[in-house]
């Protein structure tokens, strides 16, 4: 059985992986990849991959929190994951940090990597 994560954390993982392999990623591609991850996750584990609600809009599948976090990039490449603010224990100071990468199980990593491979293949097909 798979775990349930924050969509922001899954998006961070996707951005790091795609940037590491020099693959273009923008806000709408993140939404499309999240839709694919969600679909495969439900097929494999029988439940949603993340806590956030999913919205069907004219643009397609949208996870509102993730979409809004990367909206500033528009159609441009996203170089780093979005940041969040948290209150460090024992201090009275907000600290800004990027969203953490989920601690996926091996089965979950394989599933997400399959989706990323499919996305990379689609990007290469469009380029050639």
């Amino acid at each position: 059985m798979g775990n349930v994560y924050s969509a922001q954390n899954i998006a961070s993982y996707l951005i790091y992986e795609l940037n590491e392999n020099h693959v273009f990623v923008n806000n709408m591609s993140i939404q499309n990849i999240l839709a694919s991850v969600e679909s495969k996750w439900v097929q494999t584990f029988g439940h949603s991959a993340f806590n956030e609600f999913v919205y069907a809009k004219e643009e397609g599948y949208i996870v509102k929190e993730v979409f809004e976090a990367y909206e500033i990039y528009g159609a441009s490449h996203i170089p780093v994951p979005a940041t969040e603010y948290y209150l460090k224990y024992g201090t009275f100071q907000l600290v800004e940090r990027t969203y953490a990468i989920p601690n996926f199980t091996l089965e979950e990593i394989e599933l997400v990597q399959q989706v990323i491979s499919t996305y990379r293949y689609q990007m290469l097909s469009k380029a050639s």
Side-chain angles (χ1 to χ4, degrees):
M1 182 170 161
N3 297 308
V4 178
Y5 301 99
S6 163
Q8 288 285 16
N9 297 116
I10 295 174
S12 290
Y13 179 81
L14 297 171
I15 291 166
Y16 280 127
E17 284 294 310
L18 292 168
N19 278 319
E20 187 173 301
N21 292 300
H22 308 288
V23 178
F24 176 81
V25 60
N26 66 11
N27 198 1
M28 288 314 296
S29 61
I30 287 292
Q31 298 299 320
N32 291 332
I33 297 169
L34 284 174
S36 297
V37 167
E38 176 70 0
S39 174
K40 282 192 172 286
W41 205 278
V42 170
Q43 288 174 355
T44 306
F45 302 117
H47 61 81
S48 181
F50 36 84
N51 300 317
E52 292 84 352
F53 289 109
V54 176
Y55 300 93
K57 298 216 175 196
E58 295 166 7
E59 301 87 21
Y61 178 98
I62 300 287
V63 178
K64 184 180 176 193
E65 294 83 356
V66 176
F67 184 82
E68 289 174 350
Y70 298 103
E71 200 170 26
I72 59 170
Y73 291 101
S76 301
H77 178 72
I78 300 171
V80 293
T83 56
E84 65 179 339
Y85 292 94
Y86 77 104
L87 188 59
K88 191 173 179 182
Y89 181 77
T91 66
F92 295 101
Q93 182 177 7
L94 281 177
V95 178
E96 183 179 16
R97 64 179 178 188
T98 58
Y99 282 96
I101 295 173
N103 190 16
F104 288 132
T105 65
L106 290 177
E107 189 177 9
E108 294 167 348
I109 287 174
E110 286 177 19
L111 186 147
V112 175
Q113 286 297 328
Q114 286 174 356
V115 173
I116 290 172
S117 293
T118 302
Y119 172 74
R120 284 198 322 236
Y121 177 76
Q122 290 170 347
M123 290 299 291
L124 288 172
S125 296
K126 287 179 183 178
S128 56

